[in-house]
Amino acid sequence: MQSVNIHEAKTHLSRLVEQAAKGESFVIAKAGKPLVKVMPLNAPETGQMKRLGFMVGQIAVPDDFDRMGAVEIKRLFGGTL
């Protein structure tokens, strides 16, 4: 994530805001110490972002999942069992 100092942020505010609106968040720092994070309004909060495992306990994968349809696949592609 990009970090800019306050002076640079004031100088290039329009460009930085456009980048943030496109999803490129950035941090404004003072004397090298991060003060604020600028991000688009439609971006999910850090705690709201869910990716892997969002359906844990809601679906079940059969034990023979990797063998399902093996007979049909072999038949279609001319293989032998």
Side-chain angles (χ1 to χ4, degrees):
M1 179 176 304
Q2 181 184 10
S3 180
V4 296
N5 63 43
I6 289 179
H7 177 71
E8 183 182 354
K10 289 193 290 186
T11 304
H12 303 287
L13 185 61
S14 295
R15 178 179 54 83
L16 291 168
V17 169
E18 284 180 30
Q19 287 176 346
K22 293 177 184 174
E24 299 175 34
S25 303
F26 66 94
V27 172
I28 297 177
K30 182 175 183 179
K33 181 180 177 186
L35 296 177
V36 296
K37 179 179 179 181
V38 180
M39 57 192 287
L41 288 176
N42 61 353
E45 296 293 325
T46 305
Q48 293 177 337
M49 293 174 52
K50 289 187 176 182
R51 295 184 184 191
L52 297 176
F54 68 95
M55 294 188 73
V56 170
Q58 296 180 24
I59 60 171
V61 178
D63 291 335
D64 66 341
F65 178 78
D66 58 341
R67 295 181 308 277
M68 290 174 63
V71 173
E72 292 84 5
I73 292 170
K74 296 279 186 179
R75 182 181 55 79
L76 289 170
F77 292 98
T80 59
L81 293 176

